[in-house]
Amino acid sequence: KVATACTNGLGILYNPYFFLQGKLTRGNIEFVIMHEVVHMFLGHPRRFPVLRRAYYQVYDERFGGKAAEAGGPDYENQRDCALNQLMQEAGDYVVNLLLVEYFEDYKAHEGRPGEDLGLPVMPDDALLDDRFSGMALETVFDILFQEQKSKPNSSGGDGDPEDGDDSQEDGD
């Protein structure tokens, strides 16, 4: 059920094959685990349900049309999955940028910015965008939601609201 690693706010869930397939360095694995811990520390899994409910009406007005008026479990599940995916992406941008900025500052402070100090290293395919520097989850989510040109893709991640964040470090 978990493709990579995620947190439900109580612990870290992971797929052992994600870590054992040989695509991640030790530094990448440390980063992924730290990434999930920071999600828990920032309370992202607890904030997701509140944020998702706050956007139900906005999503329905923007993307729902007659399907939103009819409601029903299929539409509601599609809407939840789309909003969950966007929240996961917003949370990943926040956490990844926070960690990358921290480790870059640490290297600069040590006076060895180009050296390998054995620090965690973000996987190459993880989400990172400097424009979100210093922003909270809700702000990043709002920006990503406003940038949607069409119905958000609900096929990414598992979209399970009970899982909190599925941080999809392998391509999310």
Side-chain angles (χ1 to χ4, degrees):
K1 186 172 176 173
V2 176
T4 57
C6 66
T7 180
N8 59 7
L10 302 173
I12 297 172
L13 310 171
Y14 63 94
N15 183 334
Y17 297 108
F18 171 65
F19 293 108
L20 297 174
Q21 64 187 342
K23 294 181 181 178
L24 300 175
T25 67
R26 178 182 173 152
N28 292 153
I29 293 170
E30 291 171 353
F31 189 96
V32 170
I33 293 168
M34 191 174 292
H35 170 102
E36 298 307 332
V37 170
V38 172
H39 274 300
M40 291 188 331
F41 178 76
L42 295 175
H44 288 174
R46 289 188 313 274
R47 291 157 59 189
F48 279 1
V50 174
L51 185 58
R52 185 174 51 245
R53 283 189 299 274
Y55 272 80
Y56 277 170
Q57 183 176 354
V58 177
Y59 181 93
D60 292 347
E61 290 169 359
R62 187 162 187 192
F63 301 115
K66 292 185 183 205
E69 292 172 17
D74 288 340
Y75 173 76
E76 291 169 4
N77 184 53
Q78 178 185 12
R79 178 185 61 197
D80 283 352
C81 287
L83 291 173
N84 284 346
Q85 180 64 28
L86 212 52
M87 284 183 283
Q88 292 165 7
E89 290 175 13
D92 285 351
Y93 279 121
V94 169
V95 170
N96 290 342
L97 193 54
L98 185 117
L99 289 172
V100 165
E101 288 174 347
Y102 173 81
F103 290 121
E104 285 176 358
D105 186 58
Y106 177 80
K107 287 181 186 179
H109 183 272
E110 290 294 309
R112 303 179 289 184
E115 285 187 46
D116 179 12
L117 301 176
L119 298 171
V121 177
M122 185 178 76
D124 291 336
D125 56 358
L127 298 175
L128 188 68
D129 191 331
D130 290 336
R131 69 188 169 132
F132 300 130
S133 182
M135 294 183 189
L137 167 72
E138 292 78 4
T139 304
V140 175
F141 176 84
D142 189 57
I143 292 168
L144 294 174
F145 186 85
Q146 296 305 322
E147 289 175 351
Q148 295 292 319
K149 302 294 183 210
S150 59
K151 185 177 279 188
N153 180 2
S154 62
S155 64
D158 62 16
D160 186 346
E162 297 302 317
D163 282 350
D165 167 62
D166 184 359
S167 68
Q168 300 291 315
E169 294 295 336
D170 63 345
D172 176 347

